[in-house]
Structure formats: C-alpha cells, structure tokens
Amino acid sequence: MVALILGIIFIAFTVFSVLPAAPLAWGANVIEFLKGFLPVLSAFVGLIAILIGLADIKDKKEAKREELEATKNN
C-alpha cells in the first residue's frame, strides 16, 4: 500500500514538474536529458539482446547434445 501511494506521489510530481505552466517547468531539461540518455540506453539494450541471443544459442546446442545422448542410451 505504501509503495502504491509513493508511486502515485512520484508520478504526480513528475507530471507537475514537466508541465510548462508549472513553476518548475523542467520540460525542456527532461527532453534534453532524454536526448543524451537515449543512445546510452539503446547501447545497453543492444548489449543485453546480444547476450540473451548467445545464451539462447548455447542452450539450444546443449539441449540437442543431451537429446542425442538420451537416444544413444536407450
């Protein structure tokens, strides 16, 4: 329950701070941050995708090998 209330408070603050009519008006700063952070985020996502793909290939090879061993033992 506390996490839900805190989440609502943080979302409300975020919306309030980004609105152009609000006293903080951080909208331009948020856009500037996102422009700088997007390439870094896409690099991390790409790296994670490559690692997941390599692990998937490794798992498929190992599953095939175990299947061949199981058929040889029977």
Side-chain angles (χ1 to χ4, degrees), residues 4-21:
L4 179 64
I5 293 170
L6 282 175
I8 292 170
I9 290 171
F10 282 127
I11 295 294
F13 172 74
T14 302
V15 170
F16 173 75
S17 65
V18 173
L19 290 175

Side-chain angles (χ1 to χ4, degrees), residues 1 4-5 7 12 18-19 22-23 28-29 31 33 36-37 39 41 44 47 49 53 56 67 74:
M1 187 67 175
L4 179 64
I5 293 170
V18 173
L19 290 175
N29 293 339
I31 298 297
F33 170 77
F37 181 69
L41 178 65
F44 280 128
L47 180 63
D56 188 41
E67 185 179 320
N74 288 332

Side-chain angles (χ1 to χ4, degrees), residues 12-67:
F13 172 74
T14 302
V15 170
F16 173 75
S17 65
V18 173
L19 290 175
L24 294 175
W26 289 347
N29 293 339
V30 171
I31 298 297
E32 186 176 336
F33 170 77
L34 289 175
K35 284 181 181 178
F37 181 69
L38 193 58
V40 175
L41 178 65
S42 64
F44 280 128
V45 169
L47 180 63
I48 290 170
I50 289 171
L51 293 175
I52 290 172
L54 291 174
D56 188 41
I57 291 171
K58 181 181 173 186
D59 288 343
K60 285 182 182 180
K61 283 183 180 180
E62 189 169 330
K64 264 188 181 178
R65 185 169 28 108
E66 288 177 0
E67 185 179 320

